[in-house]
Amino acid sequence: MNPSQLDPINDVPLHPRPGIVDPPERYGHFDEDTGEYIITRPDTPQPWYNYITNGSFTGFVSHTGGGTCYGRNDSVEKRILRTHLHGRPADQPGRWIYIRDRDNGTFHAATWAPVYTPLNRFRYEGRVAPGRSTITAECNRIRSRVTYFVGPDAEAELWLLTVTNPARRTRRLDVFPYAEFFLWSLARDNNLDSGFKCTDVAVDGRVIVHRSYYDWGADRGGWKRQYAWFASSTATSSFDTNLEAFVGVFRGYDRPLALAAGRCGNFSNRGGEPVAAMQIPLTLKGGASRTLVFAVGYAGSDAQAARQGRRVAAVAFAREQLAKVRRHWRAYLDRFQADTPDATFHVPFNTLTPYQSAITFVCSRSISPYQLTGGRGLGYRDSNQDTLGAMPYQPAAASRKLIATLLGVQKKAGDACHDFFPGTGAGAGGGYSDDHLWSALSVESYVKESGDLAFLDKEIGFHDSDAAAPVIDHLERALRFAEKNVGAHGLPLLRRADWNDCLNAFEGAESVFTAGLYCAAAKAVESLHAARGETAKARRCAKRHAAMAERINEAAWDGAWYRRLITRDGKAVGARSNRYGKIYMESNVWAVIGQAAPPDRAREALDSVRRCLGTPYGHRLCAPPYPDYDPHVGTLGIFAPGYKENGAIFCHTNPWLIVAEAMLGRGRRAYDVFARLSPYTKDRIQNIHCAEPYALSSMIIMPPNLEAGRARNPWLTGFVSWMLAAMGRWILGIRPDFDGLVIDPCVPRWKRFGVRRVFRGTTCVIHVDNPEGVERGVRELRVDGKEVEGNKVPVLTGTKTVRVNVVMG
Ligand code: GLC
């Protein structure tokens, strides 16, 4: 036992990053007026991404045009463009646009990559905005501006490009857009022996159609042709459709053959590596601009591809679609806006954090430069949690549909499949102790947001039976499953694992985390019964909650915090007696969120978490990390110490700590947990954080790892779902209830702040005054000037806007 390893990490040693020479201080900053992010240098520590989607066609695009896109959000079989994920630092290939001066042969790329013109000759600005990314550049006295987005009315991504000649003399230019096609699935694309041999192209003036056979399996039609297309709005003077033809052999993308020659070779690919490259001649008089559109999509036939390409790659269509993208996201975000004394809080809260949560809701963990992009479906627990962040912004039907789909892969016994495939609705896997319990939280949250109590009576089937049962019965089954599958101390069995996938080698262990989650789920089901007037059932839930809470407190209190697991032979994990993993975040925060911990223990457990797991960069998942794989602990130890579940800041757990602190009314503490991870905080340490500061990352590496402070896996993470929920529901304290909107801020003594929140069709314009600077407590509430008892704005059907004045104290 080495107690010193539990000392707080107040100072994290920093080491130079590999591959970065003389790092500049900053690469960008938030635009406080719009909440968008402006990248001012393209040589960022790693590619900084944005997502573009219409909900079914989705791509990720880096700030230099890298990334890929997927049709039907299908990361297994419908990836359209190639990008080498293992070569991610190089961010190649991408959706690039070369611009060449026909008179002197000099060229650069409007996307900076892949030519990488020295920055003293290249002016760059990248803009990351909801639904679109824009790169503005000036090089060789040519200005360009390209915006990437997905058309709301097209299964395609569009590149809207404007080229300007700021000088006086006429410029004769050629624009060469470039992208590489992917062979639909990773396995097929990797099979060089056969994959490329099935490819060929049809070139129809402005549209290149890439065709390739793909095996959909006997039950889905077997070998069928797939069609992807690349189109230009403007006539081309040459094209290439094969990698060797455009780039050449033993040449890089920075000086491809076609750019050296000043034209493409008009090569029609037959059985080689398929690309789309075009040459578009532009003559620009002094001061003149030209707008062009390129687009990428997929289709069911040559004719359809040509039709779609021509329809989508058109300037008027692209402008109209881009305007729609802007309007869509503005309306989405306008449903919940805050104005506080601290931009650190409200700038991310108002724009890019809810945008990221919407992307996570759509993509789960599947369309990503970092995570599994094949094979696995969407996670039962992950998607349930993702609804929590997106709920206030989504149309009710979107949350309802996902929650119902998830309940459809619950098993009759009450537990659930671990994954489900959105394309088919099929479930897969299972055996975890927690999956099924998350549904209680998402259903409660949905019903409170929407008022749709009837959803509880909706009949939904099970994964392993044709019988259907009402939603409320599904939730009861989840609770009963947990109650029946308990160990010697009456706590739920860990089974394969619980939320922490990597604590997975404890045959027969009991999970204190799942016990806490069960308590939260029992409270949720209690409130749902009560809302339906089923008071006896509600009372029973309260008793079941109390019984589990008692067991947690009897079996799992370790003196200053809650243990994490109790093994079959009665030993503890997450206890002082352990050498490694003495304390874990999950069991402690969920004992509080599940209202199992009595007040003194709740405070002490959270104090211990803060003391033992806190670092300037956020709070770690456990400490000390395990030095190596231990078959008695689980796959946690396969990660280097300080990485992922093995003692990193596994960020997903931090907003739980915010919620728990807020439930205790400790506003400054809750805010402090938030502030350590806020995008603004990360924006001040761009060279340490490395990942894009405007997106929340799934984890931050911790000592003893040499890359301490570096973030990994930005964008698709339960962290964003919970962070948004913690900021909106717990710090701002705006929480829907069945019969109104609760206003219960828990703040760092802000003297005043404002919130706009749409709730059941009414826009509540909320002003909060806090004359004494308290952390929590509402002493006065007025709705349109009239005093209301308590701290709940009643549902006001038919009222468009209300003024809500709140005085804390
Ligand atoms: C990943 C998984 C999630 C799990 C977490 C902790 O984020 O997607 O399901 O709960 O890791 O292991």
Side-chain angles (χ1 to χ4, degrees):
M1 181 160 118
N2 180 357
S4 72
Q5 289 185 31
L6 270 183
D7 286 349
I9 297 186
N10 291 321
D11 195 15
V12 177
L14 299 176
H15 301 270
R17 311 273 147 219
I20 301 183
V21 186
D22 295 336
E25 279 269 296
R26 300 186 67 78
Y27 305 86
H29 55 87
F30 279 93
D31 175 348
E32 292 204 355
D33 294 332
T34 60
E36 297 166 6
Y37 195 85
I38 300 172
I39 302 171
T40 48
R41 303 180 56 114
D43 55 342
T44 51
Q46 63 186 54
W48 285 4
Y49 290 100
N50 191 8
Y51 275 72
I52 51 179
T53 183
N54 62 9
S56 83
F57 189 103
T58 298
F60 50 86
V61 54
S62 76
H63 69 296
T64 62
T68 178
C69 58
Y70 299 78
R72 281 195 234 116
N73 279 358
D74 185 342
S75 64
V76 183
E77 291 172 327
K78 269 263 181 283
R79 195 203 292 182
I80 296 172
L81 296 181
R82 171 164 312 124
T83 187
H84 295 299
L85 297 183
H86 285 296
R88 195 174 36 71
D91 193 23
Q92 294 189 340
R95 316 148 156 98
W96 296 320
I97 300 169
Y98 298 88
I99 302 179
R100 184 176 185 277
D101 184 317
R102 207 178 312 142
D103 292 320
N104 63 18
T106 55
F107 64 89
H108 68 279
T111 40
W112 189 56
V115 180
Y116 312 117
T117 306
L119 293 182
N120 57 1
R121 294 199 284 112
F122 195 97
R123 288 233 313 261
Y124 170 95
E125 187 189 281
R127 187 172 272 270
V128 176
R132 58 202 188 273
S133 265
T134 299
I135 301 168
T136 311
E138 182 167 345
C139 184
N140 297 336
R141 293 287 281 151
I142 300 159
R143 282 192 197 136
S144 58
R145 178 187 162 87
V146 54
T147 299
Y148 297 96
F149 60 99
V150 170
D153 307 313
E155 280 293 283
E157 64 167 51
L158 288 85
W159 318 355
L160 178 62
L161 170 74
T162 299
V163 183
T164 303
N165 171 10
R168 283 200 175 168
R169 68 182 170 94
T170 298
R171 299 291 297 271
R172 298 191 321 135
L173 306 173
D174 284 302
V175 173
F176 294 81
Y178 179 82
E180 291 184 21
F181 290 115
F182 191 73
L183 300 185
W184 308 105
S185 82
L186 203 56
R188 184 118 190 86
D189 199 68
N190 281 341
N191 188 354
L192 298 188
D193 182 46
S194 86
F196 295 129
K197 292 181 187 159
C198 308
T199 66
D200 73 359
V201 291
V203 183
D204 168 8
R206 290 158 35 201
V207 186
I208 292 174
V209 184
H210 150 62
R211 308 186 289 209
S212 173
Y213 275 97
Y214 183 74
D215 184 6
W216 285 86
D219 52 334
R220 290 161 74 198
W223 287 99
K224 280 197 281 190
R225 248 196 171 140
Q226 304 293 298
Y227 301 81
W229 52 262
F230 184 90
S232 158
S233 59
T234 312
T236 59
S237 59
S238 71
F239 68 87
D240 264 325
T241 54
N242 173 277
L243 183 64
E244 279 173 30
F246 182 80
V247 177
V249 183
F250 298 121
R251 301 178 71 99
Y253 292 113
D254 56 335
R255 46 181 207 100
L257 197 58
L259 270 287
R263 62 183 161 73
C264 301
N266 290 341
F267 190 91
S268 277
N269 188 58
R270 297 275 182 268
E273 300 213 33
V275 309
M278 292 174 168
Q279 177 181 18
I280 290 120
L282 281 189
T283 299
L284 290 180
K285 291 213 174 101
S289 291
R290 253 315 264 294
T291 297
L292 314 173
V293 178
F294 306 113
V296 181
Y298 66 94
S301 67
D302 280 326
Q304 197 185 45
R307 232 182 8 255
Q308 282 180 8
R310 281 166 189 279
R311 179 177 79 94
V312 174
V315 175
F317 180 76
R319 286 199 171 125
E320 171 218 306
Q321 293 288 293
L322 181 58
K324 267 196 177 178
V325 169
R326 283 176 201 280
R327 279 201 303 275
H328 168 80
W329 288 110
R330 195 61 271 150
Y332 182 95
L333 299 169
D334 268 353
R335 297 175 62 86
F336 202 173
Q337 293 281 297
D339 184 12
T340 72
D342 191 354
T344 304
F345 185 90
H346 64 249
V347 174
F349 180 79
N350 287 344
T351 304
L352 289 177
T353 302
Y355 180 64
Q356 185 185 346
S357 140
I359 293 298
T360 299
F361 181 91
V362 169
C363 301
S364 186
R365 311 297 178 269
S366 70
I367 292 181
S368 156
Y370 310 101
Q371 277 137 323
L372 280 177
T373 56
R376 193 177 125 173
L378 307 194
Y380 191 97
R381 74 159 82 92
D382 292 349
S383 287
N384 266 305
Q385 293 172 81
D386 293 343
T387 66
L388 302 179
M391 197 82 73
Y393 309 85
Q394 301 262 7
S399 309
R400 182 183 157 114
K401 187 168 167 224
L402 181 58
I403 293 169
T405 308
L406 291 165
L407 286 171
V409 299
Q410 190 185 12
K411 300 175 187 175
K412 236 181 143 192
D415 61 336
C417 290
H418 193 54
D419 296 316
F420 82 99
F421 291 88
T424 58
Y432 289 79
S433 74
D434 64 318
D435 281 325
H436 41 287
L437 292 168
W438 293 105
S439 285
L441 270 56
S442 59
V443 170
E444 180 201 26
S445 179
Y446 165 71
V447 176
K448 286 182 169 174
E449 181 75 47
S450 63
D452 180 12
L453 270 171
F455 181 59
L456 299 173
D457 295 317
K458 182 182 163 60
E459 298 262 333
I460 294 179
F462 294 94
H463 173 67
D464 52 356
S465 148
D466 289 339
V471 167
I472 189 77
D473 186 49
H474 276 262
L475 304 185
E476 277 286 354
R477 280 169 198 253
L479 293 182
R480 279 203 298 276
F481 185 90
E483 287 156 10
K484 279 192 194 151
N485 291 278
V486 292
H489 303 85
L491 303 175
L493 287 172
L494 174 68
R495 307 179 73 219
R496 258 175 95 157
D498 58 28
W499 171 87
N500 189 330
D501 282 329
C502 302
L503 274 177
N504 51 1
F506 297 94
E507 186 65 41
E510 292 165 82
S511 165
V512 181
F513 160 78
T514 305
L517 177 63
Y518 166 91
C519 285
K523 280 274 174 204
V525 178
E526 176 191 339
S527 79
L528 291 167
H529 283 312
R532 309 169 88 219
E534 300 266 19
T535 36
K537 287 184 182 164
R539 266 203 304 276
R540 251 186 55 69
C541 274
K543 280 200 189 132
R544 291 148 83 187
H545 172 271
M548 186 65 79
E550 199 179 313
R551 290 182 220 148
I552 293 175
N553 284 298
E554 261 169 30
W557 184 249
D558 197 57
W561 59 77
Y562 288 96
R563 297 168 184 149
R564 180 64 176 83
L565 301 175
I566 300 169
T567 63
R568 187 156 48 187
D569 53 5
K571 294 201 182 102
V573 173
R576 273 173 308 178
S577 58
N578 298 134
R579 180 145 186 222
Y580 305 109
K582 288 169 184 293
I583 175 168
Y584 279 73
M585 177 85 96
E586 306 97 294
S587 45
N588 288 291
V589 289
W590 279 93
V592 179
I593 298 172
Q595 300 173 55
D600 52 338
R601 282 193 177 177
R603 278 192 297 273
E604 193 171 358
L606 298 194
D607 289 349
S608 300
V609 162
R610 184 180 166 85
R611 193 177 62 250
C612 304
L613 299 178
T615 85
Y617 297 107
H619 288 72
R620 291 174 289 170
L621 182 129
C622 68
Y626 299 84
D628 213 340
Y629 175 60
D630 177 347
H632 301 298
V633 174
T635 47
L636 201 109
I638 67 172
F639 301 125
Y643 231 86
K644 286 202 84 201
E645 283 90 338
N646 192 13
I649 297 166
F650 201 97
C651 300
H652 189 142
T653 62
N654 279 239
W656 293 343
L657 181 56
I658 298 177
V659 175
E661 290 287 12
M663 289 175 81
L664 302 189
R666 305 202 287 192
R668 280 180 301 169
R669 286 274 178 101
Y671 198 79
D672 172 59
V673 179
F674 157 78
R676 294 186 204 201
L677 282 170
S678 155
Y680 257 57
T681 310
K682 302 308 176 192
D683 199 42
R684 285 195 282 268
I685 51 163
Q686 294 172 6
N687 270 313
I688 297 169
H689 190 69
C690 291
E692 45 273 50
Y694 49 83
L696 305 182
S697 291
S698 144
M699 72 129 177
I700 294 169
I701 302 169
M702 278 289 107
N705 197 291
L706 293 183
E707 290 201 279
R710 179 168 193 165
R712 292 279 186 197
N713 289 20
W715 281 97
L716 305 184
T717 162
F719 174 30
V720 71
S721 314
W722 273 98
M723 187 66 144
L724 196 58
M727 291 167 90
R729 296 160 64 98
W730 292 97
I731 294 179
L732 296 174
I734 313 294
R735 278 197 299 283
D737 202 348
F738 300 107
D739 54 352
L741 192 63
V742 171
I743 317 269
D744 180 22
C746 189
V747 292
R749 300 187 165 171
W750 287 337
K751 285 291 180 66
R752 65 177 52 85
F753 63 96
V755 177
R756 247 173 66 94
R757 168 67 148 92
V758 177
F759 177 61
R760 307 226 193 133
T762 303
T763 302
C764 303
V765 182
I766 304 164
H767 290 282
V768 181
D769 277 306
N770 184 7
E772 280 107 52
V774 298
E775 292 179 66
R776 192 181 187 187
V778 165
R779 70 160 190 243
E780 193 183 304
L781 176 69
R782 285 176 188 278
V783 178
D784 274 344
K786 268 204 238 109
E787 186 144 5
V788 171
E789 279 268 329
N791 64 344
K792 197 184 287 181
V793 181
V795 177
L796 298 161
T797 322
T799 312
K800 280 230 143 67
T801 306
V802 287
R803 266 182 309 109
V804 179
N805 291 87
V806 181
V807 182
M808 291 179 70

